[in-house]
Structure formats: C-alpha cells, structure tokens
Amino acid sequence: MSRRDIGQAAARLPRKDRAGRVGLVGAGAVVAFEALWLVLGLPAGALVSDLGAITVAGWAGVACVGAARRHPVPLRRFWLLLAATMALSLAGRALWTSQRLLGESLPHTLPIGLIFAASLLTGTGALLCWVTAPRTTVGRLRTLLDGVIVGLALIPIGWLLIFRNVTMADLDEPLRTAGLLYPMFDLMQLTILVAVVGPGRPAGRPMALLGVSLTVRAIADAVYVSLVAAGTYQLGTPVDVLWPLSYLLIVVATRMSPPQYDDGAEEASDVPLPPWWRVVLPYLPVAGAIVATMLARDASGHTPLPIFLAMMALLATLALRQGLAANENLRLVARLRQLAYVDQLTGLPNRLAFIRRLRGALRGANRVAVLLLDLDGFKQVNDRFGHTTGDTLLSGLSRRMRRAVGDDGMIARIGGDEFAVLVTGGRPATPERLAERLLAALQPSPGEELVGVHPSASIGIAEYGPQHISHTDLLRDADIAMYAAKAAGKSAYRRSTQALRESAVSRAELIADLRRAVDEEQLHLEFQPIVDLATGVVRSAEALVRWRHPRLGVLSPARFLPLAEETGLILPIDRWVIHEACRAAATWQERGPSATVAVNIAAAHLRRPDLIATVTEATAGAGLAPRALTLELTESALIEGSDAVLDRLSQLRELGIRIAIDDFGTGYSSLSYLHRIPATELKIDRSFVARIPEDTRAYATVEMVTRLAGAFNLGVVAEGVETERQHDAVAAIGCVQGQGYRYGRPAALAELRSVLAKSGPSGVTDVAESGLTLT
C-alpha cells in the first residue's frame, strides 16, 4: 500500500469516537489532578505521582492499540510498537512503585533496567516505522546510527557538566549508573525522530506531538539526573508530573490523522535537499564531546573510564556511519552515471553517451559510420493518443531496434523520436544492411496495423570521410541523408552524398534569404482570374505570391512556401499577402464592383487566434468590404481543426468573409465536416478537371461534387481548366465558375484591372483575348 493510500485511508477515519474522547479527558484529568496535588505539596505525593504515571501510561497504551486498529498496516506497526512502549513504561513504573514501597528509595534494579531497554527498542522501532522513515535497511541503520552518535557524544558532556563532582563511590552500582544515562537515550530518540521526519515533508500532528512528548521526557530525565547527582532529588515533587504529561501527549497524538503522502513526489527531482543543520546534526555534539573529554582529565592526565569507553564506542559508531556514507556515495555515483548516460524511458544509451562513443571511435581512426533514424508520424501518435501511449510505443520499438542491431553496432536514443546507431571497424554488417534490418524490425506485426499507431522510420547514413572534420559534421551529414529519405516517401534509407550536402547548403541559404524577403520587399503578388462560365465575366481573382530572389530570379510558391511552413515564416508571409491582396482588390472595385479576391491561408495561421485581427485590419485598412475577401483553406488544414478553429471560422463568416475549401476531393473529404465548417464554396481540384474529357469516373466525380455543393448551398469553382473541351465539360455539368489557363494565367495587378474593364456579357472570349493569357 502506498503512502498516498495511507493518508487517504486515515482521512476517512472518524476524527473522534466516544471511548477515545473519554480516555483523553480522563488522562488529562489525572495529569491535572497530579500536578495540583504535587504543587500544593499534599501528603503521599510520591504515591500520587507513581499512580498517576501508571494510569496515564495505561491509557496511552490502550489509545495506541485503538489507533492501530483504525489505520492501515504500515501505520498499524507504528502504533502497536508505541503501544508496546507504553505497556513497558507502565510495567516499569509499576515495578518501580512496588519496589519503592518495599523500601528502595530509588530502585534502579536489573528488571527495571531490562524493561527500560525493551521500551527503548520498541520506541525506536516505532519511529522507524513512521510513514516518512527510510524504507531501506541501510537507510534505517544510518538513521539509528545518527541517534547513537548523538547519545554517545552526550556522555562526556554530561560527565563534565553534571557528574564530575560525583565520586566514584556514588556510582558503584552499575544499574544506578545506567539510570543516569536516561537523558542520553531521550536525545538519541529525538535525533532519530528529526531524521525520520526529514526536510520538505510535513511531520504530521502525531509525529509533532510525539516530538514534544520526547522533549518533555528528556527535560524530566535531565532534571531527575541532575538532582540525583547533586543528592537533592525528592520523591513527589512537581517535576514528577512531567512523565505522565509526556504520556498524555501520546494519547492526544492518537487522536490526530497523519498527513497524506505521495510516493512519486518523494522520488521526484524537486524534493528539496536537506538543510545544512540536518546533515551535520549527528556530528555537532561530537565536537563538544572531544572538548569535554579533554577537560574531564584528572590531574595526572588520565581520562575517566566511563568517558574513555564512551569515546571508543563513539569512534566505532562514527566509523560505521562513515562506511555507510561511503557506500551510499558509491551507489549515488553509479546512479548519477546511469542518469547521465542512459535514457530513462528506453534503457538505451542517450545522446551524451553516443557522442562520447562516437568521438572515441573517430580518434581511433577506424571505419566509422552513423545511422540516424527518425520515426515517421510519431508526433501524430502523441497528439492523437497522448504521451503515455507514445512512451509505450517508443519502449516497444526501442527493444525491436536493439535486437535488430545486436552486436553489429551501438544504438542510442538521442532525441524524442530520434535514434542513432554507431558502426565501427570490424563489424560484419554494412550500414546499409543494418538499415534494412531496422526497417524490417519496425514493420508492424500481425494486428498492429489495426491500432493505427505504428510509425515507420526514415534513416540517414553517413560514413566518416575526408569531408568530416568532427563528429558534428558526421551527424550533420547523417541528418541530411535522413531528411532525404523522408522526402523520398519515408520508410526508407539514404546514404549521404556530395549532391545531398550541396542541396542542404542551398536549402539553408534559401531559408536565410527567405527571412529577409518580406522586410526587403522581394515578394509580389500575381492574380489569376476566376470567371463566370456562362458569361465570361471575371467574378474573382486568386492572389498568388511570387518571390523575386535577387540571385535566383522569380521563384514560384512551390519553391519556397514549403520551406516557409517548416520554419514558421509562413505566418508573416500570409499576413503580408492578406494586406496586399486587400489593397489590390480595393483598387479594382470601381471597374468590377462585384469582383472579389481570394487568398490562400496556411494551416498554421488558421490555428492562431490573431487571424481574425489580421483579416479585419487588412480589410479596414484597405477600405474593402469583408464580403470581397475569400480565404481559401485546404481540406487537411480544416479536418485537423479543433473546436477553437471552427469558432474562429464562424466569427470570420459573421464578419462577412467568405470561406473556400481548396483542392476539394484530394484530402479527407467527409460529409460530416461539411456540416461543421461554415464554407461558402468548393474548389474542385485540377487533377479531376484534367481527366474529365477522357475519364468517366473523373466526370462523375466532378458532377457529384457539383450536386453536393448545391445541396449544401455552396458555390463551385473548377480549377485547372486549360482546354476548350474541359471548359465545355465543366460548364455542361453545371459548375458556375472556372479558373485556369483557359481563362488567364497569373499576371500583374495592372493586367487584371484591364481585364476587369473589358470583361462583360460577351462571353469568355473577352477574357481570352484580353492579353491576360500572357505569363
């Protein structure tokens, strides 16, 4: 049972029951009565103090048994041992009383000493059973030794402060001498209690009251010992009430619930380190013991025998304690080494261990190759099923890969879903053979593909050569080859080549140039008309971004937009396109008041809450009516949309912005999301339009989409219309609008304004003859 279960079970216990309440009140009444009797100095004070201590100790034992019955097993052991301690205290005090009544003034006899020793063992055992006590044998032994060190160190100090003036004749009875060591045992148990509670953990009211009880008992024993040593102790004085008071505090402690604990929290990295005083606590009295030993020497320079024996025992205990500390340090070093070089999820070497091995292999001037493996689609697993499923999947896949590599290389997990294999000289398997084995190992077993969470992998291979100056160069080339494998369709491997390296350098340079493109006004827009198929009138124009690269010339969107999406640069580009398209559309409103402008929006921008602000600022700044702007979104971007995305689209529609689903039919076409998305039109993908004259299935698809759009009250635009036959086919099907080279290529704004001025009811010929067909 965990400590959290203990706390929860204790919280369900009744806070008060009638019998326990009566016992608590009765014990308190006895202590109050005894205190009043002794303070007033009434006769038979010694008997009253003995009977009071016996009565309250008995009540404390019964209360501890009742607490043990109400608590789970770990706490039950604590309360039962404490009950045994109270029972032994009762027995010892009863025997003390009987022997005193028979004539012994201070009966420090062997039976009483044995009872006290047994109560010391059970009390200490109870402390070591508390919920925050160390859970290992070594930890418990260390805690016990801390208490013994404090107790032994107090013997020379006590001798110097209390017993130095007591003659040896006064201590001729061993049991009487042992009785004078009671404060030492009290402080030993207090030290163990402090160690058990530990830093950063709530002591709980039961343990706090037990600490107060031990403190009261230590004060009582210290006063008793000092008075006995001075020969002034009298039975039946107010100091005698301190012992039953310490028992009463235990009765109160049984009424308290322990704190709730979480095992995982104790093992977490955010548990605070122990304070400095807790670390040095066992050793602080040792310095005092050394000084006391030096001051306690007689005139001849000899150390009294009790002090000598105590110091020998103290040295032996310190040696044992330091031996345990050294053993713990070795275990800690081993644990830290494991944490530093082993991945905790998979048990594989981590990135740091892999780099160390790789650097060592390169220094050996042997054949060295690196395989860099990245799981395809693993992010979707985490997003769809959660990180717990992802971790389980990673653990299983890592075991497969470890078996696939075997002794032919070293496999490590170097990132979230990235693994690396190091192959050195003398290995029988080639890197390509290892890559094939890894890909085969990652193939789903029968039934696993039904789960839908089994990713493939892309592997890049780089072998050490003259182009590699360091291990970072080798890893870079493996990374380049891995991305080439992804681009080739995934679930594949590629070897690093000079061509791939040059391509990667060009790609990096292009990304760097793209970061400056917006600020340096290198981007510009071209517009492709969208016409009414029946009249040829230009109803809209799609804004298409182009990049006038200072060195490479004009680049099409296919060349740089994928890079922009990978790097996040698509967001500032999208914002610029929206603003520029709105300004352009505002300039043609006089010539074509009903003509709108369409802008493509990336999926990343759709997920951003500032999209609405961007659109409203763009339309308001250009003086363009919101209804004149259409946002084109791909099916894949829409189908992955959350409820927040759908709410954002609804807000845009309420503003008057039109929503078009671009490339319809190529993504996740679903009737269910057509019900949810506030779209205004569908754009049939060019792949269907291109086959429509010859492919009856393509014709049927376009016809079906057109009818579907009509059922949902959506407009339809046929994309990619390039020939007269395609135009006739989509017009015959009933498509309202068309877009493609048949009606005009993307061109500058000035040419589009010219077409808007000429287009009219004369038909599509006006558009074709307008000159817009020129690139």
Side-chain angles (χ1 to χ4, degrees), residues 97-109:
T97 302
S98 63
Q99 291 186 358
R100 188 183 60 77
L101 292 176
L102 292 176
E104 285 279 349
S105 58
L106 295 176
H108 293 282
T109 61

Side-chain angles (χ1 to χ4, degrees), residues 186-200:
D186 295 332
L187 290 176
M188 181 189 76
Q189 287 191 324
L190 266 176
T191 303
I192 294 174
L193 184 145
V194 172
V196 161
V197 171

Side-chain angles (χ1 to χ4, degrees), residues 231-484:
T232 59
Y233 176 71
Q234 296 293 326
L235 291 169
T237 57
V239 69
D240 291 346
V241 81
L242 293 178
W243 284 285
L245 177 60
S246 69
Y247 305 150
L248 176 62
L249 289 169
I250 294 176
V251 176
V252 178
T254 63
R255 311 295 304 158
M256 305 298 176
S257 297
Q260 295 189 15
Y261 294 94
D262 187 350
D263 286 341
E266 291 187 9
E267 297 173 359
S269 59
D270 58 351
V271 173
L273 293 174
W276 67 269
W277 60 265
R278 169 64 188 87
V279 177
V280 302
L281 176 63
Y283 306 102
L284 286 176
V286 174
I290 295 173
V291 174
T293 300
M294 297 176 64
L295 295 177
R297 292 178 179 177
D298 55 23
S300 61
H302 294 101
T303 301
L305 181 60
I307 295 182
F308 176 79
L309 294 177
M311 290 302 294
M312 291 298 100
L314 178 60
L315 289 175
T317 306
L318 283 170
L320 181 57
R321 177 66 176 82
Q322 290 306 108
L324 288 177
N327 179 64
E328 283 188 307
N329 288 339
L330 290 176
R331 292 175 58 194
L332 179 61
V333 168
R335 176 61 176 161
L336 290 176
R337 183 180 296 275
Q338 182 185 28
L339 291 174
Y341 296 114
V342 177
D343 177 64
Q344 300 305 299
L345 176 63
T346 63
L348 297 174
N350 60 12
R351 184 181 188 88
L352 181 58
F354 183 82
I355 295 298
R356 289 188 64 185
R357 287 284 298 274
L358 175 58
R359 295 174 67 178
L362 291 175
R363 284 194 298 268
N366 294 323
R367 169 192 161 215
V368 178
V370 169
L371 285 75
L372 201 60
L373 181 148
D374 184 84
L375 298 178
D376 303 321
F378 186 75
K379 182 180 183 300
Q380 286 73 16
V381 174
N382 279 335
D383 292 344
R384 181 180 176 187
F385 298 98
H387 288 276
T388 300
T389 301
D391 289 347
T392 303
L393 181 62
L394 274 179
S395 299
L397 294 180
S398 66
R399 288 191 293 270
R400 294 186 182 191
M401 290 187 287
R402 187 199 293 265
R403 289 193 297 267
V405 173
D407 297 330
D408 291 327
M410 169 198 176
I411 183 170
R413 182 189 180 202
I414 62 174
D417 60 347
E418 286 190 338
F419 297 82
V421 179
L422 174 63
V423 182
T424 55
R427 304 289 186 180
T430 64
E432 289 81 1
R433 177 58 182 154
L434 273 182
E436 292 171 356
R437 279 161 39 182
L438 285 167
L439 292 176
L442 293 176
Q443 290 297 315
S445 301
E448 282 186 335
E449 60 272 5
L450 300 179
V451 181
V453 296
H454 203 296
S456 58
S458 299
I459 303 176
I461 302 173
E463 195 158 359
Y464 182 72
Q467 71 275 12
H468 301 123
I469 301 175
S470 66
H471 69 279
T472 56
D473 297 323
L474 192 60
L475 287 173
R476 177 206 61 202
D477 281 1
D479 190 62
I480 292 171
M482 183 264 291
Y483 276 104

Side-chain angles (χ1 to χ4, degrees), residues 737-775:
Q737 298 181 27
Q739 178 182 357
Y741 288 176
R742 167 65 179 77
Y743 315 113
R745 293 176 180 270
L749 176 61
E751 296 181 53
L752 177 65
R753 284 203 296 262
S754 175
V755 172
L756 287 170
K758 297 178 181 178
S759 66
S762 57
V764 296
T765 309
D766 295 336
V767 179
E769 295 175 353
S770 65
L772 194 60
T773 56
L774 299 177
T775 56

